C-alpha cells in the first residue's frame, strides 16, 4: 500500500521550500502514484542542492525517507525495481524518449534538464576524440624535445603536450606545482608555431584564477624566449611573429568568454553562435559544474582544440556535478573512451623545497588519519613547511593567533605603496571550512579586526575603514571586477577613501569608489571554497571543533595545497581525522557514459 508521503513532507524541516514546491508540482502532474512521484522530486531537488546531478534509487530504496525527521523516519521508501516501475506508470517520468519532468535511466533519476546536460557533456567530449601528427610549423623539428627535456620520470609534461597537439581534446590533472600551467604555456607556444594567427582563449571559472593563469603563462613565456634565443636559428624569421602573438594572449573568466547575460542563465555564445577561437584552455576545471560545462562545450566550434586543466582531488564545483573528477576517473581508473585524452601529472616541483606540504597533502589525498597524520607534522615541521597546533577554546583563540596576525597583516598595513601592500596582503591568509561561528569566516574576521585595532594598526571608523581588505563576491563586468578579486581600502591623493585592486597594467592599481563595489566581504579570513584558484606564501587553516559534514578529505586537501611555503593547521585532532576519512561522492552517470 502506497504511503502518504506528501502530508508528512509539508511539515518537515528536512526539506526546503523549493523541494516541497517541486513535490507538489510533480504530484499535480502525475497520473498515478502521485505521492511517490512528488516525494521523488523532493528528494531529487534536495540531492541537487547537495551537489548531486541525479539520484541513485538503490542508495535510497528500503530506507527511511529521512532518519532525523520524527515522522519521515517511520516511512520507508520502496524497493528500487518497484520504485522505478511506479515512476514509469506515474506519467511524470520516462526513459530517454520524449520530454518528461523526470528521467529514469540505469537506475538513476534525473531532472530532465540535468539529464540533458550530462548527455551534452558526454557527447561533446567523445566527439572530440581524434588524432593528428604533432608539428611545430617553425622549421625546428627538435623544438618540442627542447621545450620538454627528459625529467627521468617518464616526461609526462611532454606526453601532455603531445596529447594536446595531436588531437582536439586534452585533459591535464595534477596537484599544485606539478607544472600544469608551465606545460600549457609551452603547448600554446607550439600551437602558435603551427599558426601565429591562431585564435587562442585562456579562461577560468573565477577572475582570480584567470588572472593567476595569465600571470603564470606570462612568466613561462619569458623562459621560452630565453630558451629559443639560445637554441639555434632554425625558423627564427617566423619566431618573432610567434612570440608577439604569444604576448597578446590574455586570461578571462569563463562567463565573460561565453558572453554572460545579466539576469539570465543563458549566454550569448552557444551552438548557434559558437566562439570563434581555434583553441580554448580552461584552468581550474574542477570548479566547473555540469550546467556550465554543458553550455561551454556547446559553444565551442567543431574543429577547436580544448585543453582542460585542474586537480581532480580538489573540491568540486559549488553547484551540481563533479565533471573533472568523472572525466579523469572514467579514463584513468576505468580505461574508458577518453583514456588517450587524459593525463595525470604527479611530480610536484614546487614542494620539493618544502617537502612537508607535499608529503602532508599526499597523505591526506591517500586517506592517512590519526597518528599517521600527526607523525608527518612531527617528522617535517615548520622548516619543511608544516606545523600543527591543537585548536584552543574560544576564549584562548585570540592569544593563539595574535602573533601571526600582527606579523603578517601588520606588514601590508604599514606599507605605504598600495600595490606593494596588495602583494603583501595576498602572501598570507586564514582559511576555514565554514562561514559562521567563532571558528568560521565571520568570527575570525571580527577577531582579527579586534586584534589589529587593539594594536593600533586599524581604526574601524566606518564600513570602509582604511586598510580594510575586501573580496568581491560576484562578477561585475561593467566595473571589470570579478568574483574572488581582492583589494584594500586606502585614501587617494585628495584624502577620499577608495578601494585599490590589482590592475592588468604592472605596477598600477585599479581604483574604485566604495559605493560602486559589487557584493563583497572582509577577507582576513576566507572559506576554503573561496580560496580555490588562489595561492598564498603562508596559510593558517583553522578547522572548527565540530564535526561538520562539509569537512571532507577534498576540502582539507584543497586547503593544504593553497600554501606555497608554510601551512599551519589548527584543529581538533579527532575532527581532522574524521574529515580526512569523509570523502565526497557525487551521484552522476557521466563516468558511465564515457566508458
Amino acid at each position: 500500500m502506497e504511503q502518504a508521503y506528501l502530508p508528512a513532507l509539508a511539515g518537515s524541516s528536512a526539506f526546503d521550500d523549493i523541494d516541497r514546491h517541486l513535490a507538489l508540482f510533480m504530484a499535480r502532474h502525475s497520473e498515478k502514484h502521485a505521492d511517490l512521484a512528488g516525494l521523488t522530486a523532493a528528494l531529487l531537488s534536495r540531492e541537487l542542492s547537495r551537489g548531486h546531478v541525479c539520484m541513485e534509487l538503490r542508495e535510497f530504496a528500503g530506507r527511511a525517507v529521512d532518519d532525523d525527521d520524527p515522522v519521515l523516519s517511520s516511512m520507508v521508501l520502496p524497493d528500487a525495481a518497484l520504485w522505478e516501475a511506479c515512476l514509469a506508470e506515474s506519467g511524470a517520468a520516462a526513459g530517454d524518449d520524449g520530454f518528461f519532468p523526470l528521467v529514469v535511466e540505469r537506475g538513476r533519476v534525473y531532472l530532465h534538464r540535468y539529464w540533458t546536460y550530462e548527455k551534452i557533456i558526454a557527447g561533446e567530449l567523445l566527439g572530440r576524440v581524434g588524432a593528428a601528427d604533432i608539428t611545430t610549423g617553425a622549421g625546428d623539428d627538435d623544438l618540442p624535445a627542447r621545450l620538454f627535456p627528459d625529467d627521468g620520470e617518464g616526461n609526462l609534461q611532454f606526453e601532455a603536450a603531445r596529447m594536446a597537439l595531436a588531437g582536439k581534446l586534452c585533459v591535464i590533472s595534477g596537484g599544485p606545482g606539478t607544472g600544469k600551467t608551465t606545460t600549457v604555456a609551452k603547448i600554446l607556444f607550439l600551437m602558435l608555431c603551427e599558426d601565429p594567427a591562431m585564435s587562442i582563449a585562456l579562461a577560468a571559472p573565477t577572475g582570480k584564477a584567470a588572472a593567476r593563469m595569465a600571470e603564470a603563462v606570462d612568466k613561462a613565456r619569458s623562459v621560452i624566449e630565453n630558451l629559443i634565443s639560445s637554441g639555434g636559428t632554425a625558423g627564427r624569421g617566423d619566431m618573432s611573429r610567434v612570440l608577439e602573438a604569444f604576448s597578446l594572449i590574455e586570461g578571462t573568466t569563463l562567463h565573460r568568454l561565453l558572453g554572460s547575460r545579466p539576469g539570465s542563465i543563458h549566454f550569448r555564445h552557444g551552438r548557434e553562435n559558437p566562439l570563434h577561437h581555434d583553441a580554448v584552455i580552461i584552468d581550474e576545471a574542477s570548479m566547473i559544474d555540469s550546467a556550465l560545462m554543458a553550455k561551454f562545450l556547446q559553444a565551442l566550434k567543431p574543429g577547436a582544440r580544448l585543453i582542460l586543466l585542474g586537480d581532480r582531488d580538489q573540491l568540486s564545483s559549488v553547484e551540481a556535478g563533479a565533471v573533472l573528477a568523472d572525466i579523469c576517473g572514467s579514463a584513468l581508473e576505468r580505461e574508458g573512451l577518453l583514456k588517450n585524452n587524459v593525463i595525470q601529472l604527479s611530480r610536484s616541483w614546487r614542494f620539493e623545497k618544502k617537502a612537508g606540504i607535499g608529503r602532508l597533502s599526499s597523505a591526506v589525498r591517500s586517506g592517512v588519519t590519526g597518528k599517521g597524520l600527526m607523525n608527518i607534522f612531527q617528522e617535517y615541521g615548520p622548516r619543511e613547511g608544516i606545523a600543527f597546533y591543537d585548536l584552543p577554546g574560544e576564549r584562548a583563540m585570540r592569544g593563539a593567533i595574535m602573533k601571526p596576525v600582527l606579523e603578517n597583516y601588520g606588514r601590508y598595513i604599514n606599507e605605504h605603496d598600495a600595490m606593494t601592500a596588495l602583494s603583501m596582503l595576498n602572501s598570507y591568509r586564514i582559511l576555514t571550512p565554514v562561514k559562521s561561528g567563532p571558528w568560521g569566516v565571520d568570527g575570525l574576521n571580527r577577531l582579527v579586526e579586534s586584534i589589529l585595532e587593539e594594536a593600533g594598526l586599524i581604526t574601524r571608523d566606518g564600513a570602509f575603514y582604511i586598510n580594510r581588505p575586501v573580496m568581491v563576491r560576484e562578477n561585475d563586468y561593467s566595473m571589470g571586477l570579478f568574483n574572488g578579486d581582492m583589494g584594500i581600502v586606502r585614501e587617494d591623493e585628495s584624502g577620499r577613501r577608495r578601494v585599490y585592486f590589482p590592475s592588468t597594467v604592472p605596477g598600477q592599481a585599479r581604483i574604485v569608489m566604495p559605493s560602486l563595489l559589487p557584493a563583497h566581504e572582509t577577507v582576513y579570513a576566507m572559506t576554503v571554497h573561496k580560496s580555490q584558484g588562489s595561492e598564498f606564501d603562508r596559510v593558517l587553516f583553522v578547522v572548527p571543533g565540530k564535526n561538520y559534514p562539509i569537512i571532507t578529505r577534498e576540502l582539507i586537501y584543497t586547503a593544504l595545497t593553497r600554501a606555497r611555503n608554510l601551512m599551519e593547521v589548527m584543529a581538533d585532532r579527532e575532527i581532522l581525522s574524521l574529515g580526512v576519512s569523509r570523502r565526497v561522492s557525487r551521484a552522476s552517470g557521466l563516468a558511465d557514459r564515457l566508458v
Side-chain angles (χ1 to χ4, degrees):
M1 183 175 178
E2 195 164 310
Q3 301 179 66
Y5 296 115
L6 292 186
L9 201 67
S12 172
S13 60
F15 293 86
D16 293 332
D17 287 342
I18 191 171
D19 305 329
R20 284 187 282 268
H21 284 306
L22 185 60
L24 292 173
F25 172 84
M26 204 64 66
R28 284 197 301 268
H29 291 81
S30 298
E31 299 168 7
K32 296 178 65 176
H33 310 294
D35 257 46
L36 182 59
L39 175 64
T40 303
L43 287 167
L44 181 53
S45 176
R46 188 172 67 174
E47 291 301 285
L48 283 168
S49 70
R50 294 173 176 176
H52 303 282
V53 172
C54 58
M55 189 173 78
E56 304 261 6
L57 289 180
R58 65 177 182 273
E59 296 295 325
F60 291 81
R63 290 172 39 189
V65 175
D66 189 279
D67 292 329
D68 299 323
D69 185 274
V71 177
L72 294 176
S73 60
S74 64
M75 306 182 80
V76 179
L77 292 163
D79 167 85
L82 175 61
W83 195 346
E84 189 169 337
C86 289
L87 289 176
E89 292 178 359
S90 71
D96 58 3
D97 52 337
F99 178 84
F100 292 83
L102 302 179
V103 177
V104 182
E105 183 182 72
R106 300 183 187 181
R108 301 182 180 99
V109 183
Y110 299 80
L111 285 180
H112 192 278
R113 180 156 52 104
Y114 282 88
W115 173 78
T116 301
Y117 290 150
E118 192 172 275
K119 286 191 66 178
I120 289 171
I121 294 170
E124 292 289 339
L125 291 174
L126 293 175
R128 294 184 174 277
V129 175
D133 290 332
I134 182 170
T135 62
T136 66
D140 188 348
D141 293 335
D142 295 328
L143 187 54
R146 286 164 54 203
L147 288 174
F148 297 95
D150 190 357
D151 61 5
E153 296 188 14
N155 207 353
L156 292 177
Q157 292 186 9
F158 178 68
E159 291 305 314
R162 182 179 293 277
M163 184 184 294
L165 292 163
K168 294 187 291 185
L169 173 65
C170 176
V171 181
I172 305 174
S173 176
T178 52
K180 297 188 299 294
T181 308
T182 301
T183 300
V184 162
K186 294 175 181 179
I187 292 170
L188 285 173
F189 178 75
L190 291 172
M191 285 181 178
L192 290 170
C193 284
E194 291 181 7
D195 179 7
M198 180 181 291
S199 175
I200 300 174
L202 294 181
T206 67
K208 182 68 176 178
R212 274 193 57 248
M213 184 188 192
E215 290 168 7
V217 167
D218 190 58
K219 288 180 181 178
R221 178 175 61 85
S222 62
V223 174
I224 293 170
E225 287 180 352
N226 292 334
L227 186 150
I228 296 302
S229 64
S230 62
T233 59
R236 187 61 50 81
D238 293 332
M239 201 56 67
S240 60
R241 290 182 59 211
V242 171
L243 293 174
E244 181 182 2
F246 199 171
S247 68
L248 297 176
I249 297 174
E250 297 181 346
T252 187
T253 65
L254 187 51
H255 284 80
R256 190 167 196 173
L257 178 69
L258 292 175
S260 181
R261 291 174 171 171
S264 173
I265 63 171
H266 301 292
F267 296 96
R268 185 162 52 88
H269 290 290
R271 194 181 298 281
E272 302 302 320
N273 181 30
L275 297 163
H276 72 275
H277 305 286
D278 302 307
V280 180
I281 295 91
I282 304 295
D283 197 11
E284 298 290 351
S286 65
M287 299 171 66
I288 304 177
D289 59 76
S290 294
L292 182 56
M293 183 64 83
K295 294 169 186 177
F296 162 65
L297 291 174
Q298 284 188 304
L300 289 173
K301 69 179 184 182
R305 281 177 172 145
L306 170 63
I307 302 175
L308 297 176
L309 303 175
D311 186 347
R312 61 183 295 204
D313 295 307
Q314 279 191 27
L315 283 167
S316 296
S317 57
V318 175
E319 302 298 330
V323 179
L324 182 66
D326 285 342
I327 293 171
C328 294
S330 72
L332 301 175
E333 272 86 55
R334 301 173 66 181
E335 295 191 347
L337 298 171
L338 299 181
K339 64 182 179 181
N340 295 321
N341 299 82
V342 179
I343 196 161
Q344 177 78 35
L345 302 180
S346 54
R347 181 177 180 179
S348 179
W349 303 88
R350 179 194 307 163
F351 294 144
E352 286 184 351
K353 293 182 179 179
K354 292 294 182 180
I357 300 176
R359 178 69 184 92
L360 181 62
S361 58
S362 177
V364 166
R365 191 176 59 228
S366 301
V368 176
T369 61
K371 290 183 178 179
L373 202 59
M374 291 300 108
N375 287 340
I376 295 171
F377 283 105
Q378 293 172 7
E379 179 183 351
Y380 290 89
R383 287 188 177 181
E384 293 292 337
I386 57 174
F388 179 84
Y389 309 102
D390 287 303
L391 184 70
E394 188 174 343
R395 291 184 178 180
M397 190 67 177
R398 183 186 189 88
I401 70 169
M402 183 177 292
K403 183 178 178 180
V405 162
L406 293 176
E407 177 184 331
N408 290 283
Y409 287 138
R411 290 176 62 239
Y412 92 83
I413 290 172
N414 288 321
E415 170 58 46
H416 174 73
D417 180 71
M419 292 306 298
T420 305
L422 274 169
S423 178
M424 290 178 171
L425 167 66
N426 288 322
S427 68
Y428 179 73
R429 191 69 77 247
I430 301 173
L431 301 182
T432 174
V434 296
K435 187 79 167 63
S436 305
W439 296 287
V441 168
D442 295 339
L444 289 170
N445 274 328
R446 287 194 297 268
L447 182 56
V448 171
E449 285 179 323
S450 175
I451 290 170
L452 294 174
E453 189 163 42
E454 186 180 77
L457 291 171
I458 63 170
T459 301
R460 287 181 285 178
D461 54 3
F464 290 93
Y465 60 84
I466 294 174
N467 284 313
R468 178 193 173 195
V470 298
M471 180 175 66
V472 174
R473 290 192 289 126
E474 63 184 26
N475 297 331
D476 188 327
Y477 296 100
S478 64
M479 295 297 299
L481 295 172
F482 306 102
N483 183 21
D485 283 355
M486 299 181 198
I488 54 173
V489 179
R490 288 285 172 99
E491 288 185 342
D492 64 14
E493 295 177 351
S494 302
R496 297 169 299 188
R497 294 188 184 183
R498 298 290 185 263
V499 187
Y500 287 69
F501 290 93
S503 169
T504 54
V505 180
Q508 293 187 20
R510 195 165 14 139
I511 305 172
V512 179
M513 292 175 58
S515 61
L516 297 179
L517 278 183
H520 58 277
E521 60 189 36
T522 303
V523 71
Y524 298 109
M526 64 194 301
T527 63
V528 177
H529 280 84
K530 287 287 187 181
S531 75
Q532 284 184 277
S534 298
E535 292 175 354
F536 311 96
D537 291 335
R538 181 175 176 178
V539 171
L540 172 61
F541 178 37
V542 179
V543 182
K546 183 178 178 181
N547 190 22
Y548 290 103
I550 197 175
I551 304 174
T552 62
R553 183 182 304 180
E554 290 79 6
L555 181 138
I556 295 168
Y557 171 80
T558 302
L560 297 179
T561 53
R562 297 309 90 201
R564 297 188 192 98
N565 300 320
L566 178 60
M567 164 52 68
E568 297 176 298
V569 178
M570 187 175 286
D572 177 288
R573 300 182 185 212
E574 182 180 357
I575 298 298
L576 184 63
S577 286
L578 286 171
V580 174
S581 300
R582 184 184 293 120
R583 299 210 63 180
V584 173
S585 179
R586 291 189 166 182
S588 161
L590 179 59
D592 285 350
R593 298 181 192 276
L594 298 176
V595 296

